[in-house]
Amino acid sequence: MKISKEKFGQAFDALVAEYQIIAPVSDANGIAFKGVKSFSEVKQDYLNSKLPPKAFFFPQHEKLMSYKKEGKDVSVKSELKVENTVLFGIRPCDAKGMQLLDMVFKNDQYTDPYYYERREKSVIIGVACNKIAPTCFCSSFGISPAGSEGSDLLLIDLGDSYDVEMITEKGKALAARFEALSELSADEQALVDKIKSAVTPSKVDVSNTTSKLDKMFNSPFWDTLQEKCIGCNVCSFSCPTCHCFDISEEVRKNEGTRVRTWDACMAPLFTLHGSGHNPRDQKKARWRQRLMHKFNYFVHNNGAMACVGCGRCIKSCPVNMDIRQVIDGANKAELVVE
Amino acid sequence: MNKIINDIRETARQLLAEGKVDVVIGYEKGSLPLKATPCFVHSPESVDLLIWDETCENNLAGYLAKTPGKKAIVAKGCDSRALAVLLQENQLVRDDLYIIGVSCHGVIDQRKIGAEVGEILEASINDGKISVKGMEGDKEYLFTELKDATCQTCRYPNPVIEDLHIGETIEVAQEAPAFADVTEMENKSNSERQEYFKEQMSKCIRCYACRNACPLCYCQECFVDCNSPKWLTGGVNRAENLFFQAGRVLHLAGRCVDCGACTRACPQGVDIRALNRKMTKDVYVMFNHESGISEEGKPALNEYSANDPEEQFLVKE
């Protein structure tokens, strides 16, 4: 089914009354996901945002609760604020990334109320990629540039209209507001099929990476891998699946807040114990953690790799550490007999 | 092949084969067009990875203290200035270092290309011309059009300390440092300047790429990581971001060698250099000091003398 962009725009603008709408816009620094009030503000021709949209569910710096001591009384207040939200224009890699984050923040052992409440009250409208950047490699992970996993609705841009695919009940409910939906013409169907069959030209073979990493904890591979890394947090902060955080107290006199802040395995402080001991005191241990977590531990725990091939870390790394080359290097590394 | 590259490789081969160094730190071709990547060569068999061109944008000096053993480094002017400061501050042992000096005409600022032709698919550099095939179109640039802002005001394209010089040296006019960019910023009204830095600081995501790319940010514990006292929170907002950036710049007063590595490393395009340049100018005006221009001497704020221009700063007994 398709909807003209004009009709879609009207439906989009009508959502503003009930939802906070997050969509790609063009800013001083490229493409960013930001709050919008009208479809006219939305950037339609874009590859992907510079930073992933994960911050709308898992903010970089988030107040969990605040507290105050007055005399002998202590009051504690929840800081959880949740709005009904529509995220529009999420690319298939990032939508898949949300599904991976769901596994961390909502599983049979634990549900994170902050993440989960926001996630529950959101609808994700994915938009398939018509153009593929040279650093995109989502096909390596079985994700398609027009993949629907993680989206509630998937749109495929046909120029003047969108092909609309309803993926979940939430998506269907939202699409019920769309007027004048019509069937695709044969030409449009052909275009949809073409976009759906696209694969990223850049691919990395991950078929045996997990089992290879099972045997690589003590490999000399890590010694040389880490040399050029400067240990900043760009790769983690720009990753749609990285989710490590730190919880700290921001206290002033008799009141304070408990905050959760993004942290990263590349930072030595992340694992520094109160005793002064640091189990990952060397960069090579930190890099091993990064790769193992994404391509081994996460697979063992959740049955999927924690990388969606969005390529942001490749583009933003100040020293051009290319995760594709890192995986390839691990695939080819000689195993040391222990 | 380019003679400079050949000479770098031959030098590296000899140093490694003769056991004079354990590692040569230089550049190799990166995985993206117009991008070189730092390269650690441990054996003579791998020296052919080494390259040299206008894409060698990282400052390699910061790797040295963290790399064990004897090491050689391919150093352009700004890398060598950072080495000079590190030596002045006793962070490196000169005898463990072999500096392969190369004069530098400047490095490419990729952002200018991306803004015009989108993602770069392919690119080549020939005789000062850079041909780029981008997702949004093709374009040919002159190198001078793409030269990084730092390199446009560079006064030290030739290494200031080196054990061997490779290639030609570049003639530099003997004149006092110019700070036209700083003057322009100073001439803005307070509110204009405030607006400018508000916008810049709102882009910062506190990933610390600037700090980590800086060859002279080597504190064991950075003030941003200290939690007792907790100087600043992890809050990512303009005020906290400015506190971090301004704090970092002040810690580099009289030490910053204006290599631009911080600004190039920033994934968000924050104009960090605007702060550094103002501080560099102030240090020059107040102390007549340029950082890291020789192995001797000390950073401006490490020197205490009775001749200090500030009256009563030190009094002779």
Side-chain angles (χ1 to χ4, degrees):
Chain A
M1 299 296 279
K2 69 167 180 179
I3 183 171
S4 71
K5 282 194 179 168
E6 193 192 340
K7 285 282 174 202
F8 179 79
Q10 288 166 6
F12 185 99
D13 293 352
L15 290 172
V16 172
E18 293 162 62
Y19 292 90
Q20 157 185 236
I21 306 189
I22 308 296
V25 296
S26 195
D27 75 1
N29 196 31
I31 301 296
F33 281 102
K34 285 189 177 167
V36 297
K37 295 280 175 219
S38 150
F39 190 59
S40 60
E41 294 171 54
V42 178
K43 176 89 173 159
Q44 292 183 37
D45 179 26
Y46 66 103
L47 284 166
N48 206 349
S49 58
K50 195 138 199 178
L51 294 169
K54 68 178 175 185
F56 294 100
F57 303 118
F58 171 45
Q60 183 166 3
H61 185 76
E62 173 181 24
K63 281 183 190 171
L64 300 178
M65 62 176 192
S66 58
Y67 39 84
K68 198 171 189 175
K69 191 176 167 217
E70 282 167 306
K72 286 188 176 168
D73 294 332
V74 176
S75 57
V76 178
K77 200 172 89 200
S78 163
E79 289 284 344
L80 177 60
K81 290 182 192 84
V82 184
E83 281 182 73
N84 288 324
T85 303
V86 169
L87 277 92
F88 171 84
I90 303 297
R91 294 303 191 191
C93 55
D94 288 335
K96 174 70 188 181
M98 308 265 187
Q99 275 194 338
L100 296 168
L101 286 182
D102 290 350
M103 296 172 179
V104 177
F105 291 109
K106 166 131 182 52
N107 53 48
D108 52 7
Q109 289 162 32
Y110 177 72
T111 297
D112 183 287
Y114 300 88
Y115 176 92
Y116 183 65
E117 292 275 321
R118 291 193 190 100
R119 195 72 172 91
E120 275 292 283
K121 292 196 170 158
S122 68
V123 187
I124 294 187
I125 305 180
V127 176
C129 300
N130 291 30
K131 288 192 276 186
I132 299 170
T135 43
C136 291
F137 64 114
C138 66
S139 300
S140 313
F141 303 99
I143 303 166
S144 145
S148 61
E149 279 183 284
S151 290
D152 294 306
L153 275 179
L154 179 75
L155 305 184
I156 298 178
D157 194 334
L158 303 171
D160 297 331
S161 59
Y162 286 117
D163 170 43
V164 183
E165 310 212 343
M166 294 163 212
I167 313 299
T168 66
E169 289 303 322
K170 251 189 206 176
K172 269 182 208 162
L174 197 77
R177 297 157 182 252
F178 297 167
E179 284 172 14
L181 282 171
S182 60
E183 295 293 329
L184 295 174
S185 70
D187 282 355
E188 286 164 340
Q189 186 59 53
L191 180 57
V192 165
D193 293 343
K194 191 177 156 222
I195 292 170
K196 280 190 173 178
S197 63
V199 289
T200 56
S202 171
K203 263 179 106 167
V204 58
D205 179 12
V206 292
S207 51
N208 295 312
T209 307
T210 304
S211 56
K212 179 72 181 288
L213 287 171
D214 278 338
K215 294 170 258 174
M216 278 183 65
F217 195 83
N218 292 319
S219 166
F221 173 70
W222 312 111
D223 293 325
T224 46
L225 170 70
Q226 53 85 28
E227 284 179 311
K228 70 180 176 185
C229 171
I230 56 171
C232 68
N233 299 340
V234 173
C235 47
S236 303
F237 288 4
S238 58
C239 177
T241 73
C242 272
H243 53 264
C244 288
F245 57 80
D246 177 37
I247 289 181
S248 58
E249 308 292 332
E250 290 175 0
V251 184
R252 213 174 264 185
K253 287 188 180 164
N254 291 328
E255 54 188 311
T257 46
R258 178 165 297 171
V259 294
R260 170 157 77 182
T261 314
W262 288 357
D263 208 331
C265 51
M266 287 294 122
L269 201 66
F270 180 50
T271 46
L272 180 64
H273 294 182
S275 65
H277 172 66
N278 193 340
R280 284 186 223 134
D281 64 342
Q282 289 180 46
K283 206 167 51 178
K284 81 169 194 186
R286 299 195 284 273
W287 246 105
R288 177 173 59 202
Q289 172 64 22
R290 180 164 183 78
L291 208 66
M292 287 285 194
H293 195 182
K294 291 198 171 298
F295 302 103
N296 186 279
Y297 308 149
F298 204 90
V299 183
H300 290 313
N301 291 337
N302 300 301
M305 287 187 173
C307 175
V308 294
C310 72
R312 287 186 181 92
C313 60
I314 304 170
K315 276 193 248 184
S316 290
C317 177
V319 295
N320 184 225
M321 285 285 286
D322 188 324
I323 191 77
R324 295 170 297 186
Q325 291 179 328
V326 175
I327 298 167
D328 205 38
N331 288 343
K332 289 178 183 149
E334 274 181 51
L335 285 176
V336 180
V337 184
E338 286 173 39
Chain B
M1 193 207 338
N2 174 322
K3 178 146 190 328
I4 295 179
I5 297 180
N6 197 45
D7 288 355
I8 290 175
R9 291 177 181 174
E10 279 318 307
T11 306
R13 198 186 316 274
Q14 266 181 26
L15 289 167
L16 289 162
E18 290 168 12
K20 286 188 177 155
V21 300
D22 303 302
V23 59
V24 177
I25 307 175
Y27 303 91
E28 68 179 301
K29 197 173 169 0
S31 69
L32 302 176
L34 297 181
K35 195 100 180 158
T37 182
C39 172
F40 291 66
V41 182
H42 296 274
S43 73
E45 293 77 53
S46 309
V47 298
D48 290 339
L49 286 172
L50 292 166
I51 61 152
W52 172 256
D53 62 20
E54 294 84 347
T55 67
C56 297
E57 64 165 51
N58 303 101
N59 190 322
L60 303 179
Y63 288 119
L64 292 177
K66 294 166 203 138
T67 307
K70 293 202 183 266
K71 46 248 167 180
I73 179 175
V74 175
K76 20 184 211 298
C78 52
D79 302 55
S80 80
R81 289 182 67 190
L83 289 174
V85 176
L86 290 166
L87 287 162
Q88 290 168 3
E89 295 180 339
N90 297 320
Q91 296 302 310
L92 296 173
V93 177
R94 183 68 180 92
D95 291 345
D96 288 346
L97 281 187
Y98 189 90
I99 305 168
I100 305 168
V102 194
S103 296
C104 168
H105 288 276
V107 298
I108 293 170
D109 178 2
Q110 284 235 5
R111 284 183 241 271
K112 289 182 190 166
I113 305 174
E116 288 182 355
V117 301
E119 296 284 317
I120 307 171
L121 298 169
E122 281 169 38
S124 60
I125 309 175
N126 277 312
D127 285 337
K129 284 196 186 116
I130 295 144
S131 313
V132 183
K133 194 174 164 213
M135 283 186 78
E136 310 298 326
D138 302 349
K139 197 166 173 184
E140 190 166 274
Y141 295 90
L142 292 173
F143 170 60
T144 46
E145 297 173 75
L146 297 180
K147 201 160 155 176
D148 192 273
T150 311
C151 309
Q152 291 180 24
T153 52
C154 174
R155 288 159 39 78
Y156 296 92
N158 303 308
V160 296
I161 42 168
E162 57 190 350
D163 294 300
L164 174 76
H165 189 82
I166 286 179
E168 313 264 301
T169 53
I170 296 169
E171 287 228 11
V172 190
Q174 293 296 316
E175 50 194 31
F179 292 101
D181 50 334
V182 184
T183 312
E184 195 187 323
M185 186 62 76
E186 287 167 344
N187 288 343
K188 287 185 182 186
S189 69
N190 281 350
S191 62
E192 279 176 330
R193 210 164 33 241
Q194 203 171 26
E195 271 313 301
Y196 182 76
F197 283 107
K198 258 188 191 171
E199 191 196 329
Q200 294 304 314
M201 292 305 135
S202 66
K203 293 195 276 187
C204 173
I205 55 169
R206 296 272 288 282
C207 64
Y208 305 133
C210 48
R211 175 191 74 182
N212 291 24
C214 175
L216 296 168
C217 263
Y218 57 74
C219 288
Q220 292 269 325
E221 186 185 49
C222 176
F223 75 103
V224 303
D225 291 333
C226 180
N227 58 16
S228 184
K230 193 166 181 152
W231 298 107
L232 74 172
T233 71
V236 184
N237 56 57
R238 290 195 303 244
E240 296 280 305
N241 295 349
L242 179 63
F243 189 78
F244 158 59
Q245 294 289 359
R248 198 181 85 82
V249 168
L250 288 171
H251 285 188
L252 287 160
R255 306 173 61 237
C256 172
V257 295
D258 197 10
C259 66
C262 51
T263 310
R264 287 192 294 274
C266 178
Q268 294 291 96
V270 178
D271 185 5
I272 303 164
R273 190 167 175 261
L275 294 168
N276 280 315
R277 284 283 289 171
K278 165 66 176 158
M279 190 269 306
T280 301
K281 182 190 169 190
D282 285 354
V283 170
Y284 183 74
V285 171
M286 285 191 249
F287 304 102
N288 192 26
H289 179 93
E290 279 187 279
S291 314
I293 52 172
S294 75
E295 207 173 324
E296 292 75 44
K298 282 184 175 163
L301 302 186
N302 291 25
E303 201 136 39
Y304 303 94
S305 123
N307 303 325
D308 194 277
E310 188 179 329
E311 276 178 48
Q312 308 268 311
F313 176 69
L314 272 186
V315 181
K316 271 185 194 153
E317 285 196 351

